[in-house]
Amino acid sequence: MPVVKYPRVVDPLWHEWDEKAQKCGLRHTIYAVNGDQYTGEWLDNLKHGKGTQIWKRTGAIYSGDWKFGKRDGYGSYSIPDPVTKEYKKVYTGWWKNDKKCGYGTLFYPSGECYEGEWSSGLRSGWGRMCYRDGSVYEGQWLAGQPGGQGMLCLSNDNRYEGGWKDGKKHGPGRFFYLDKGQLLEGIWVADIPKCGIMIDFGRDEAPAPTQYPIPKIELADPDAVLAEAQAMFDDSQN
């Protein structure tokens, strides 16, 4: 029976080029089984260098730096508007190990905005948050919430300066009631002032000052009080 010799199957040239493109840093487009698309540089079959990823399910786009398959370096993340379909920027800044890390700006769907430092995807370090109601917090952050020293300016220009913990006023601080022309200086615990002093502050320029000014506390006869204290001290020495 004659032996049938089949021709040796040779991989097409495109297959060899595809492997080189993924391993040697050349720009190449790859489509995942779920429809996701990546166009950019590669290293050892991993996204590495400059590239753009498009997620089919959400339509989101990331364009920027990659390192061994993860977002790492500087890049921007955007999503399409559900109505207009136009892309809206969500985050622009630095990444590390696929999470926000370093300095960056995040735009929230509600219209709020945070600009500052990040760590492991959370607001950490120094940053500035603009809230929907018009208030602005600028200061230290820890694990995604105000923590440390910071200042909160309300939409009516009243402001708090002092300590924060877990997103609440905590520790020594000062609250300026500029609309009333008063200042509260004291100690806060979990957003509640526990003790302190209230004084008039800019009362003459305040738009809605309190009806009665806070009276000054003065000694009726300071010389007599001093003399009495001196006498008590002298007695204690005898």
Side-chain angles (χ1 to χ4, degrees):
M1 183 176 181
V3 178
V4 178
K5 293 184 178 180
Y6 295 96
R8 183 169 61 90
V9 177
V10 179
D11 289 342
L13 292 177
W14 66 263
H15 183 75
E16 180 181 353
W17 182 87
D18 180 68
E19 290 184 347
K20 289 182 179 179
Q22 294 189 43
K23 292 182 178 181
C24 301
L26 299 176
R27 292 188 63 84
H28 194 47
T29 299
I30 293 295
Y31 295 89
V33 176
N34 62 2
D36 292 349
Q37 175 185 337
Y38 172 80
T39 300
E41 299 173 334
W42 298 79
L43 180 64
D44 293 334
N45 291 328
L46 294 174
K47 304 163 191 170
H48 192 89
K50 301 289 185 180
T52 300
Q53 169 89 16
I54 303 176
W55 288 268
K56 183 178 180 179
R57 185 178 65 85
T58 62
I61 293 180
Y62 169 81
S63 182
D65 297 324
W66 297 78
K67 188 174 182 180
F68 300 118
K70 296 182 179 181
R71 290 170 288 187
D72 200 301
Y74 189 85
S76 62
Y77 178 79
S78 305
I79 59 174
D81 185 276
V83 179
T84 65
K85 305 303 180 182
E86 295 182 357
Y87 274 91
K88 299 170 59 177
K89 194 167 291 184
V90 175
Y91 175 79
T92 298
W94 292 90
W95 304 71
K96 185 175 182 180
N97 198 28
D98 223 28
K99 295 181 179 180
K100 305 176 191 70
C101 188
Y103 197 88
T105 302
L106 180 68
F107 301 93
Y108 294 84
S110 61
E112 298 177 336
C113 174
Y114 171 82
E115 180 180 1
E117 297 176 305
W118 299 79
S119 179
S120 299
L122 297 175
R123 295 167 292 185
S124 294
W126 191 267
R128 186 172 188 263
M129 181 77 185
C130 299
Y131 295 96
R132 189 175 183 179
D133 61 2
S135 59
V136 177
Y137 171 83
E138 185 169 358
Q140 294 175 310
W141 294 76
L142 182 63
Q145 299 187 82
Q149 294 294 310
M151 177 176 67
L152 176 66
C153 294
L154 304 179
S155 57
N156 62 357
D157 291 332
N158 289 349
R159 71 178 186 271
Y160 168 81
E161 301 175 357
W164 295 79
K165 183 180 180 182
D166 298 328
K168 297 180 179 180
K169 306 175 192 69
H170 195 89
R174 299 186 299 172
F175 200 108
F176 295 83
Y177 296 93
L178 299 182
D179 57 338
K180 300 180 183 299
Q182 292 181 327
L183 164 64
L184 172 61
E185 187 169 3
I187 304 294
W188 272 256
V189 176
D191 247 3
I192 300 175
K194 292 296 184 178
C195 63
I197 58 173
M198 180 77 82
I199 63 175
D200 285 331
F201 182 87
R203 177 182 172 82
D204 295 338
E205 296 80 22
T210 53
Q211 185 176 0
Y212 301 103
I214 298 176
K216 293 182 178 180
I217 299 176
E218 297 178 344
L219 294 174
D221 190 349
D223 292 336
V225 173
L226 183 60
E228 182 181 356
Q230 184 65 47
M232 293 177 62
F233 176 77
D234 294 338
D235 293 341
S236 66
Q237 299 300 312
N238 296 332

